[in-house]
Amino acid sequence: THQCWPSYKTIGKAVKLSNKTVKKYVAELVDKGLIFTENTTITTKDGRKWNGSLCYTIRPIKEAVELYHQRQLRQLEKDTARWNAEKAG
């Protein structure tokens, strides 16, 4: 399923980084379109609900590459529009 549910603490122990640093790098992976995350909940035996670990899903590489190219194209279009506006002004 390309999914897993490790906590920041578990990831941090595995790679010897703090939870804060792990969170930063996870956010970068999400921003780059390589993974996406979903919040999960757990239910205790007495019926209380708690926040669970994030569910991480690795995106297919073709999707990630396509997203990267779309972002690059949008940035190029913005840069071109800005350059044209400066040239005309």
Side-chain angles (χ1 to χ4, degrees):
T1 64
H2 304 344
Q3 293 183 321
C4 60
W5 297 264
S7 66
Y8 289 144
K9 184 178 180 178
T10 300
I11 296 170
K13 281 184 180 179
V15 296
K16 296 180 175 58
L17 294 172
S18 70
N19 290 0
K20 185 176 178 180
T21 303
V22 169
K23 188 174 182 177
K24 179 182 90 169
Y25 284 122
V26 166
E28 286 183 21
L29 292 171
V30 170
D31 186 52
K32 291 178 181 183
L34 297 172
I35 65 172
F36 63 88
T37 61
E38 299 172 82
N39 293 322
T40 64
T41 58
I42 58 169
T43 305
T44 61
K45 290 180 183 179
D46 61 2
R48 293 181 291 155
K49 288 194 174 190
W50 292 83
N51 290 333
S53 297
L54 290 175
C55 174
Y56 302 91
T57 303
I58 299 171
R59 297 182 67 171
I61 194 66
K62 284 185 178 184
E63 283 182 21
V65 169
E66 186 175 318
L67 178 62
Y68 172 78
H69 288 147
Q70 289 172 355
R71 288 179 177 176
Q72 292 293 98
L73 182 58
R74 279 195 303 269
Q75 185 61 49
L76 182 59
E77 289 168 346
K78 286 179 186 178
D79 292 346
T80 301
R82 187 175 346 124
W83 183 79
N84 286 335
E86 291 172 0
K87 186 177 173 185

